[in-house]
Amino acid sequence: MPPRRSHKKSRAGCRRCKSRKIKCDEVHPRCGNCVKHGVACDFEHPELAEHLAIPDTPAATTSATSPSFCGSPAVNRAPPTPVIPAQTMAAAAEAPLKLYRHVDPPNLSNATKNNRMMELRLLHHYTTITCKTLIIADPMTEAIFRDTVPGLAFGGANFLADAILAVSALHLRSTQPQDQALVRASHAYMASSLSEYSEHLSKGINAANAEALFLTATLIAFQSTASRIFMREDGGDTKDRSGGYTLPISWFHSFQGVKTIVATSWQWLRNSGIVVPIIQAQPALDLNMNSGGATFFGSLLDGMEEELTKMDPDPEVQNKTRQGYQHAVAVLNWSHKIPLTGAPIVFLATVSRRYMEVLQERRPRALAILASFFGLLKSLDSIWWLKGIARREVMGILSLFDPDDQEWWSRLQWPVRMAVYDGDVIPPEIWGADWSNGMSLLQQSNGTNGGFISHIEILTQITNAMQNMSHLPMDAITEATEATWQTAEAQLAAQELMSQLQSPPRSDAQPDFTQLDTANGLPMD
């Protein structure tokens, strides 16, 4: 064996080579190893000697468990970066110092990863597709639902964020009905949204939450409507216990909930750059209550007085029922003239409580009016949350009629034609009106009535005045505040009512609420 070569340990090498345990060639002003790796050398900058050594990787410290959707396990924190004095860093400017630190990847469970991916999937789908399908509106409102609404949700409105994810999950489910993860997500997120939404409502609406509550109520209404598509898959059915058709009363409650939020919080919403454009984009009501049988759906009111005499002996109840029918038919006539605008949806938000009561009693007239409403929705059949509704619901309503009932079958022919029609564009001769005239009529209506904003302003004035009039009976206040989405003629009557409310009350005097009843037939109860 050859003799072992002698080795003289270098003690004059640079600090970096020593810490790396490699031989330093001791070349000045920068050793060969530092030149090779492009790093600073203490031969060139002696003042950096204490910072050039590469420290041993410290043991990872465990952070406290942070809250997450599924309770993510603890993650490891990276060691702190050494702090180098500013003057020292300035001296090393010509030779940039590379500092390295060890970072452990987050220790996420598979369940947490799946939840994160689902939420990202749903949010992406909402901002790219679902936001364009919620309402018939202009590009401004589409941008609001796409950009502004998620931003508001990220600001702390968790119930709005959950509503967004729930609606997006339901939309995706409509195209992928076999995906059970989407089924669970749509139910879970909506349940979470409803819980927190109800809690905020119970605490009261204020300037901080008014916008988020309005938008959440709107998304809940969409979810309520679209969920009926999946009732059978979810263990429910459109039939009651006796096997008969079940009326979608929840739709009315959901959309009237939006109306209630607006009326209650208008003092904060009236200047909202989010809510006002959404409301103003909707067509303003322009109702004709006095044309009777001359209108397209006027036949639905034929024989009404005889029915009222028979069914509602009390004159006061007769009056409420009459007004409920007249208003509902007037909304049908108005929306029939302007299809493709989303106008039929207004029916759900504006019908009176009395109409809903007689509908739940399944009176033939109320059912025929509802069938005509669903016939109108055929014009919006391309929208995913309304697709197929006309056919399914009209046929369900028909099952509630006696096949030998000659009085009502003739008045159900139009909704039946709509339900069974197969085509993307309904010809004017089938629809019963020329769709091309709809936009001009809509513009005239908005120009005359000033849109929904002016209607809400009048309603708010009445509501605020009544809140300070403790002498008024609660029934009178309730009836007057139900006069929402008012027409131009109703606004004049409302202004007269305001003057009465602002006058000193007499012990035997009450404001004349009947003025609102006769002014284009507001839905008074």
Side-chain angles (χ1 to χ4, degrees), residues 474-485:
M474 183 57 64
D475 289 344
I477 295 177
T478 302
E479 290 183 355
T481 54
E482 280 201 345
T484 54
W485 320 123

Side-chain angles (χ1 to χ4, degrees), residues 241-437:
R241 294 180 180 178
S242 63
Y245 170 75
T246 300
L247 296 168
I249 299 298
S250 63
W251 294 6
F252 292 93
H253 294 312
S254 297
F255 278 92
Q256 296 210 3
V258 179
K259 180 182 67 176
T260 302
I261 293 291
V262 173
T264 306
S265 58
W266 188 243
Q267 58 179 313
W268 300 294
L269 298 181
R270 60 160 44 97
N271 297 317
S272 169
I274 300 175
V275 177
V276 170
I278 293 174
I279 295 176
Q280 197 70 301
Q282 310 313 308
L285 280 176
D286 185 17
L287 307 185
N288 185 348
M289 303 291 299
N290 303 313
S291 53
T295 61
F296 189 81
F297 294 104
S299 63
L300 294 174
L301 298 177
D302 291 348
M304 180 176 59
E305 294 303 325
E306 293 82 354
E307 174 193 322
L308 294 177
T309 302
K310 178 181 178 180
M311 301 292 293
D312 300 317
D314 186 340
E316 183 179 352
V317 177
Q318 285 185 17
N319 192 40
K320 292 181 180 181
T321 308
R322 179 185 300 106
Q323 291 164 1
Y325 282 144
Q326 289 175 338
H327 178 267
V329 172
V331 175
L332 297 182
N333 285 323
W334 162 74
S335 57
H336 180 254
K337 298 175 183 178
I338 49 174
L340 303 177
T341 63
I345 301 299
V346 175
F347 180 87
L348 295 171
T350 61
V351 293
S352 68
R353 286 184 302 166
R354 181 55 185 162
Y355 171 77
M356 293 174 60
E357 290 172 357
V358 296
L359 180 60
Q360 288 179 286
E361 294 174 9
R362 298 190 174 186
R363 294 193 186 183
R365 191 178 307 277
L367 293 173
I369 291 174
L370 184 64
S372 297
F373 159 71
F374 284 121
L376 290 171
L377 290 183
K378 184 68 175 183
S379 65
L380 304 176
D381 204 49
S382 60
I383 300 177
W384 70 274
W385 54 282
L386 296 174
K387 190 173 184 61
I389 279 182
R391 183 181 185 89
R392 183 180 65 249
E393 304 299 335
V394 169
M395 293 306 176
I397 294 173
L398 287 181
S399 68
L400 302 179
F401 283 86
D402 185 343
D404 298 326
D405 189 344
Q406 298 299 320
E407 178 183 1
W408 287 104
W409 275 106
S410 60
R411 287 181 261 187
L412 293 169
Q413 290 182 5
W414 185 84
V416 171
R417 286 202 304 271
M418 293 301 101
V420 301
Y421 182 78
D422 187 15
D424 296 332
V425 179
I426 306 175
E429 59 272 16
I430 296 179
W431 181 258
D434 188 353
W435 288 21
S436 62
N437 295 329

